[in-house]
Amino acid sequence: MVNRTPVIAIIGAGIAGLEAARQLNDLGYKPILIEKAPVTGGHVAEWNRLFPDMSPAADLVQSLESQTAKVRTMTGTEIASINRLKDGYSLILSDGETLVCEAVLFATGFHLFDASKKEEYGYGIYEKVITNRDLEQWFNTRHDPRIGHPKAVGFVHCVGSRDVKAGNTQCSKVCCITAIKQAIEIKEEFPEAEVYCFYMDLRLFGKKYEDFYIKAQRDCGIHFIRGRVSEVGEAIDGRVVVKAEDTLSGKPVKVTLDLLVLMAGIICNSDAQHYAQQVGVAVDDDGFLKSRDNVGAIVESSRPGIFFAGACTGAKTVPETLAEARSAALAIHRYFSKRG
Amino acid sequence: MDFGFKLNPSSAVNLDTVDRARYDRLVQLEPDALTCIGCGSCSATCTAAPWSGMSVRKVILGLQRGQDDEVDSMLSRCMLCGKCTMVCPRGINTRHLILTLCRLNRKGEIVR
Ligand SMILES: Cc1cc2nc3c(=O)[nH]c(=O)nc-3n(C[C@H](O)[C@H](O)[C@H](O)COP(=O)(O)OP(=O)(O)OC[C@H]3O[C@@H](n4cnc5c(N)ncnc54)[C@H](O)[C@@H]3O)c2cc1C
Ligand code: SF4
Ligand code: SF4
Ligand code: SF4
């Protein structure tokens, strides 16, 4: 094992995996991408335009894919088991192949919360209730009979996030800005529509995000209502009736909508937990993989040779994910440089 | 007929039917009003607030929720001192907004 180019198995070929593979390849290592889905790009491949610049998501994915064209990429491949060796790991893949590598990078990303679990919001029950993912897909395909020509549209923040009842107390971090982005896009698409955002707190932390908020308010006249939607019902004409408290005026509010978009949150990917157990890395209270240190070593696990990048350790934006992927590649480089 | 009891009217705001004519006109004339974040700085700094209940925040919100009586009663308490304008983090000229609002009737027509 000593004299060969170190092989690094990257689990997951979302943007984190792709970017790390690109960097590791440039640094002279041999990254191998193992992707369970039939295509690479992960969640970003499902999105349409990305905040904050509204750049096409497909461009980013294509650029990462073309820059990793030389990296061995196994799509449609799962990992049956991972075993620790003396100074590396062996992965048994779903096609029967055994892959021996010197380091493993988890880039397994997140799962989107299954919005039908919040039954009171009626996803999967009422026709006019969709999710953030459905809306991104509609922006891409323009095909979704539920959408039509809405005159009143609502967005529900924090669906499955910050919610003990849903089993996720963490904030998903990207859904406030995604809601505002999508609200603006809906308003641009249907200028006559009244658009409402129901929020508990607006958490708009990133560069240019506040500009989105001001744009949503001033240019688009989107109504922001501070109050968590308590329940959704269906009116006789198939529209949906939303109830909440307007906590700023202390009064209950009710509104009938043609479309309700649920901002499903970012939750941990249970696959990653399963592998983590096999190699002996810790899982955090929120179910995400546990970094060695949440300040100085996010991309490192507590085990030598196991690294993390992207949303497998918690909700991340695209630029954060890419930065972490580069950082993980450097951490891996340092690991091998020290090992000699 | 007297049944010996009465029902309280619902305090719920129905956004389907609420009349926002005055608000819509106000934001045409004062688009910055749209950017209010309900922070309450204006009310906290208002010299009239502790005695009169004046609150620019509640005025802007009340207009959106069709609470015209409350809005008018608050407006009548303002001394137009302009202190609220100095603190608004969104840079809304709240004093000017109050003046503009005083010129509009409930239908949003300029009457003064
Ligand atoms: C609705 C929505 C909109 C968003 N819009 C934006 C935006 O506009 N701008 C922005 O900055 N951020 C946005 N984000 C955040 C963005 O999606 C994430 O930052 C990004 O997806 C994280 O990339 P990742 O590679 O870490 O994870 P993922 O995208 O989740 O990719 C993980 C990859 O790993 C694969 N995988 C998982 N498990 C296994 C396994 N067991 N074996 C093999 N492969 C596996 C998956 O199939 C997937 O390809 C949005 C998020 C949401 C929910
Ligand atoms: S980012 Fe906003 S919508 Fe998403 S969980 Fe956090 S507070 Fe809720
Ligand atoms: S202008 Fe009116 S609302 Fe503003 S601080 Fe003075 S009295 Fe209060
Ligand atoms: S200070 Fe400005 S932003 Fe804050 S509540 Fe008053 S008007 Fe709105």
Side-chain angles (χ1 to χ4, degrees):
Chain A
M1 229 187 246
V2 184
N3 285 328
R4 66 173 195 164
T5 311
V7 174
I8 298 132
I10 303 180
I11 312 178
I15 55 164
L18 290 169
E19 177 66 10
R22 176 171 86 94
Q23 297 287 336
L24 286 167
N25 196 53
D26 287 355
L27 288 166
Y29 296 96
K30 197 174 159 203
I32 297 180
L33 281 162
I34 303 153
E35 170 58 57
K36 154 168 127 168
V39 290
T40 57
H43 283 98
V44 176
E46 295 182 62
W47 312 150
N48 179 243
R49 285 189 291 171
L50 300 176
F51 60 78
D53 288 345
M54 301 307 270
S55 44
D59 287 3
L60 172 69
V61 172
Q62 267 160 27
S63 138
L64 289 171
E65 284 170 347
S66 70
Q67 292 179 81
T68 48
K70 291 206 178 76
V71 172
R72 184 170 173 213
T73 306
M74 290 181 266
T75 51
T77 306
E78 285 195 60
I79 292 157
S81 68
I82 311 185
N83 298 300
R84 263 190 277 162
L85 306 175
K86 189 171 151 282
D87 48 3
Y89 295 88
S90 93
L91 279 64
I92 299 172
L93 306 180
S94 53
D95 60 5
E97 181 180 340
T98 301
L99 189 73
V100 173
C101 59
E102 279 69 31
V104 177
L105 173 64
F106 281 90
T108 41
F110 64 95
H111 276 178
L112 203 65
F113 177 76
D114 173 7
S116 64
K117 285 191 181 155
K118 297 260 353 142
E119 265 180 53
E120 62 271 41
Y121 294 161
Y123 183 66
I125 304 171
Y126 307 132
E127 148 123 11
K128 295 296 181 182
V129 181
I130 66 168
T131 64
N132 43 2
R133 169 192 259 152
D134 297 337
L135 189 55
E136 285 299 313
Q137 260 158 22
W138 180 74
F139 287 134
N140 276 328
T141 62
R142 299 284 153 171
H143 184 77
D144 191 330
R146 293 172 294 183
I147 290 174
H149 291 279
K151 292 196 185 65
V153 183
F155 287 83
V156 185
H157 290 228
C158 304
V159 175
S161 312
R162 304 179 65 202
D163 183 353
V164 175
K165 299 279 158 52
N168 303 301
T169 49
Q170 77 278 5
C171 166
S172 295
K173 198 163 117 171
V174 299
C175 22
C176 270
I177 178 67
T178 302
I180 290 183
K181 183 202 79 142
Q182 294 187 336
I184 293 173
E185 289 176 299
I186 280 284
K187 191 75 189 179
E188 284 170 351
E189 202 75 41
F190 308 106
E192 302 303 316
E194 296 288 351
V195 180
Y196 302 87
C197 283
F198 293 89
Y199 67 96
M200 301 205 276
D201 294 295
L202 283 177
R203 298 187 164 178
L204 301 158
F205 57 92
K207 189 173 165 80
K208 296 217 182 275
Y209 294 6
E210 193 71 9
D211 299 349
F212 265 73
Y213 182 22
I214 295 175
K215 179 176 177 184
Q217 291 180 305
R218 191 174 44 206
D219 304 343
C220 304
I222 287 157
H223 307 285
F224 287 89
I225 298 177
R226 184 178 178 279
R228 190 160 176 268
V229 170
S230 65
E231 61 182 82
V232 178
E234 198 170 36
I236 196 144
D237 58 1
R239 301 166 80 208
V240 284
V241 181
V242 168
K243 284 186 186 166
E245 190 197 7
D246 172 26
T247 60
L248 293 180
S249 68
K251 293 201 159 57
V253 287
K254 190 182 109 173
V255 63
T256 313
L257 303 169
D258 301 307
L259 187 66
L260 186 67
V261 188
L262 306 181
M263 305 312 294
I266 286 183
I267 61 168
C268 60
N269 173 352
S270 46
D271 294 2
Q273 294 177 335
H274 180 66
Y275 302 145
Q277 225 169 16
Q278 293 186 1
V279 290
V281 302
V283 172
D284 225 331
D285 299 339
D286 55 11
F288 288 92
L289 296 174
K290 188 170 181 168
S291 299
R292 187 167 66 74
D293 166 354
N294 282 324
V295 178
I298 291 193
V299 299
E300 291 168 37
S301 76
S302 42
R303 278 228 93 80
I306 304 271
F307 299 85
F308 306 139
C312 60
T313 53
K316 304 274 154 70
T317 65
V318 167
E320 287 169 341
T321 301
L322 294 174
E324 268 188 19
R326 288 168 211 136
S327 164
L330 275 183
I332 292 170
H333 178 56
R334 203 163 51 235
Y335 172 73
F336 286 116
S337 310
K338 268 205 226 147
R339 238 169 61 153
Chain B
M1 197 181 294
D2 184 10
F3 289 104
F5 65 89
K6 62 180 193 315
L7 290 174
N8 284 333
S10 166
S11 68
V13 176
N14 185 345
L15 294 173
D16 301 338
T17 51
V18 71
D19 181 8
R20 275 193 287 252
R22 190 151 57 147
Y23 178 72
D24 290 343
R25 193 63 210 271
L26 174 72
V27 301
Q28 273 174 6
L29 302 166
E30 305 272 344
D32 281 351
L34 285 162
T35 65
C36 173
I37 47 176
C39 71
S41 299
C42 47
S43 329
T45 200
C46 173
T47 358
W51 295 277
S52 72
M54 172 59 190
S55 160
V56 181
R57 173 183 80 76
K58 285 191 193 162
V59 165
I60 297 175
L61 188 69
L63 287 171
Q64 295 172 61
R65 304 287 183 264
Q67 292 151 356
D68 282 304
D69 294 340
E70 290 92 326
V71 167
D72 286 337
S73 124
M74 280 190 277
L75 286 176
S76 69
R77 311 285 164 76
C78 172
M79 309 181 292
L80 294 173
C81 69
K83 234 181 131 193
C84 48
T85 304
M86 294 166 68
V87 296
C88 175
R90 284 289 212 225
I92 304 172
N93 189 335
T94 46
R95 183 178 179 276
H96 199 261
L97 181 150
I98 294 165
L99 274 172
T100 305
L101 204 49
C102 290
R103 296 172 58 213
L104 301 178
N105 68 10
R106 289 189 179 190
K107 290 189 201 135
E109 296 155 352
I110 299 181
V111 286
R112 276 183 275 272

